Amino acid sequence: MDTIIEKVMLLQNVVFFADIPTDQLSFLANIAEVRTYNKDDVLFKENEPSDALYIIGNGIVNLFYKEQLIREVAENEAVGALGFFDQKPRIYTAKCKNSCTTLVFDSMLFFDLLEDRVQITHHLLRYFVTELRNAITANGITGKYA
């Protein structure tokens, strides 16, 4: 996963990047750093600043809330997206279940890129609004966003 092409191929499989055109994904791939972790390495801890987004290339990451396992995250999934996008502290701890390779986006680089790449921003907004719409309709149409 060292080349831009390999990074783009991974990003195409991540749900909130999937509809972004390949040429635009290459800009994202260019700022993504490949990091490798060993079993039991911690990506981040509960309440830490959300300064990075992790995309799992291979391996499994366990998510813990107050030391209780709540979910396993595997290949082609993002870890830390909520805090990354809303810039709030981490709500859980992410720990590698086995050796893992990730693409890591630094929040400052990512949001600087979005300022220059409106097409990427547009696709991300459309994805998140679609998710919000699906959540609202699945739970009944109520609230100020209906």
Side-chain angles (χ1 to χ4, degrees):
M1 193 168 41
D2 295 326
T3 68
I4 296 292
I5 293 171
E6 291 171 316
K7 292 176 184 179
V8 166
M9 289 172 58
L10 173 58
L11 294 175
Q12 288 173 326
N13 293 314
V14 176
V15 65
F16 50 80
F17 293 137
D19 290 335
I20 298 174
T22 304
D23 66 316
Q24 296 299 306
L25 284 178
S26 67
F27 293 106
L28 288 169
N30 195 46
I31 65 166
E33 178 186 344
V34 177
R35 291 189 195 161
T36 303
Y37 298 91
N38 296 315
K39 179 182 178 186
D40 296 327
D41 281 353
V42 174
L43 303 181
F44 54 82
K45 293 181 179 180
E46 233 175 280
N47 297 314
E48 287 184 345
S50 298
D51 57 0
L53 173 68
Y54 300 80
I55 307 298
I56 308 302
N58 62 52
I60 296 173
V61 174
N62 287 330
L63 304 181
F64 297 89
Y65 179 71
K66 298 186 188 286
E67 300 182 20
Q68 181 80 9
L69 178 65
I70 58 169
R71 183 169 177 243
E72 285 189 346
V73 182
E75 296 175 6
N76 303 324
E77 291 188 79
V79 177
L82 291 177
F84 182 78
F85 284 108
D86 74 3
Q87 297 292 281
K88 302 285 185 196
R90 301 292 187 188
I91 58 174
Y92 48 79
T93 296
K95 184 177 177 182
C96 295
K97 181 177 182 176
N98 52 19
S99 61
C100 299
T101 303
T102 65
L103 282 184
V104 181
F105 289 100
D106 172 88
S107 64
M108 287 180 51
L109 293 175
F110 186 88
F111 290 111
D112 283 348
L113 178 70
L114 291 187
E115 288 179 14
D116 297 330
R117 298 287 162 200
V118 176
Q119 191 173 12
I120 296 171
T121 304
H122 173 78
H123 283 280
L124 289 172
L125 282 171
R126 185 169 35 198
Y127 169 77
F128 290 119
V129 168
T130 299
E131 288 296 301
L132 179 59
R133 179 185 302 272
N134 291 341
I136 289 170
T137 56
N139 295 308
I141 299 175
T142 61
K144 62 183 174 183
Y145 299 112

